[in-house]
Amino acid sequence: MKKLVILAVAIAILLPGAALAKEKSLFSIYLEDRTTENFLKTFDYYESLRADTVSYKAAVVLAYISLIELEKNLDILEENTAELNNRNRFSYGNILLELDRYDEAIVIYDSLNVKSPKWSCPWRHKGEAYWKKGELADAVTALDKAIETRETHYDAYVMLAEVYRDLEEYETALATLEKGLTYYGKDIEDPEEEVSTIDVYFLHLDLLDKCGKTEEYKELYEKIKKIAPDDERLK
């Protein structure tokens, strides 16, 4: 199916009259011989065209050839997964997660859990994959393991609180989040790089509301109002 979609896009791009001869030639050469050299030539040309003329056609071509290269490299990683070191394997899993290819990502994280069971990050990311799949019980299990293997894993607490909220276990979600907040800035990772503080505030606000914590809700609401007065979530 994926190859059929790619072929359909290529045909649409190469329709007669859709581009100048030079553009067609560059793109066609790359499609016929997908070498790094041909990719770079094609990319550089269309990138300059897009920048100079705001060409949407160029943007389409750039997106398309980047997709081809992405799939090419993902195929390489899939075929050689056994040879990847832990860091590269983890990055591969994260790429799959970003592409919403959750089942494939979980397989990668599973292998890391076996190879490095005390490494917290693959557990946390596997929890995210399960959460986004809607498999909430499995998400809880994985995120609990992330916290077990690194007690200060701040964003694992935040994500686990979101999963419990989706499960409508609001008291547990609030307790989980508030425990996680005690580790803000104490973990090995920069909390702002992992999850937006303002998003955490709004999660906290929502859970306080759902748990009937009126005074705490008002206090946090006023704090958020000062920090992000124009945020639509306040309305």
Side-chain angles (χ1 to χ4, degrees), residues 188-205:
I188 59 175
E189 296 176 322
D190 183 342
E192 282 296 329
E193 290 183 2
E194 301 305 315
V195 58
S196 165
T197 295
I198 194 66
D199 289 342
V200 174
Y201 282 159
F202 275 107
L203 171 62
H204 197 184
L205 191 71

Side-chain angles (χ1 to χ4, degrees), residues 12-228:
I13 294 172
L14 292 170
L15 282 175
L20 298 174
K22 184 178 180 182
E23 295 176 63
K24 284 185 180 181
S25 176
L26 281 171
F27 185 47
S28 298
I29 290 171
Y30 167 74
L31 288 179
E32 292 168 4
D33 187 11
R34 300 177 185 186
T35 64
T36 301
E37 181 182 4
N38 287 338
F39 169 75
L40 292 174
K41 286 180 180 178
T42 306
F43 183 90
D44 287 345
Y45 172 71
Y46 282 97
E47 176 62 19
S48 64
L49 183 64
R50 184 195 62 77
D52 291 343
T53 65
V54 196
S55 168
Y56 299 121
K57 165 64 186 299
V60 169
V61 173
L62 288 166
Y64 177 65
I65 64 175
S66 297
L67 176 61
I68 292 174
E69 291 298 313
L70 172 63
E71 289 299 335
K72 181 196 299 182
N73 284 290
L74 287 176
D75 285 345
I76 292 170
L77 293 172
E78 181 180 9
E79 291 168 7
N80 298 280
T81 301
E83 299 178 20
L84 301 180
N85 63 32
N86 283 356
R87 284 291 172 185
N88 287 337
R89 190 177 296 208
F90 180 56
S91 296
Y92 174 38
N94 293 344
I95 293 168
L96 294 170
L97 178 61
E98 287 294 321
L99 293 170
D100 300 338
R101 291 161 66 164
Y102 304 127
D103 290 331
E104 295 171 73
I106 288 168
V107 170
I108 300 300
Y109 297 136
D110 280 340
S111 69
L112 288 166
N113 296 154
V114 172
K115 293 182 68 177
S116 299
K118 294 185 179 181
W119 186 13
S120 181
C121 293
W123 289 109
R124 207 286 286 158
H125 285 245
K126 184 163 76 169
E128 181 178 352
Y130 276 125
W131 177 38
K132 290 180 175 178
K133 280 188 68 181
E135 297 181 9
L136 302 185
D138 288 327
V140 168
T141 299
L143 292 167
D144 276 338
K145 195 69 177 178
I147 292 167
E148 177 188 323
T149 52
R150 193 171 93 221
E151 187 178 3
T152 61
H153 200 151
Y154 169 72
D155 63 303
Y157 287 96
V158 175
M159 187 167 291
L160 182 56
E162 292 182 282
V163 174
Y164 277 127
R165 180 176 63 175
D166 288 352
L167 287 166
E168 299 183 0
E169 297 181 27
Y170 303 126
E171 295 285 349
T172 303
L174 180 60
T176 299
L177 179 62
E178 291 186 338
K179 183 177 180 181
L181 289 171
T182 67
Y183 295 115
Y184 181 89
K186 298 177 181 179
D187 192 30
I188 59 175
E189 296 176 322
D190 183 342
E192 282 296 329
E193 290 183 2
E194 301 305 315
V195 58
S196 165
T197 295
I198 194 66
D199 289 342
V200 174
Y201 282 159
F202 275 107
L203 171 62
H204 197 184
L205 191 71
D206 184 47
L207 292 174
L208 289 170
D209 182 42
K210 285 178 165 60
C211 292
K213 306 286 185 178
T214 306
E215 291 305 315
E216 295 94 329
Y217 176 91
K218 289 180 179 178
E219 182 180 341
L220 182 56
Y221 183 91
E222 291 302 319
K223 181 178 181 179
I224 297 173
K225 197 173 179 181
K226 292 178 181 178
I227 297 171

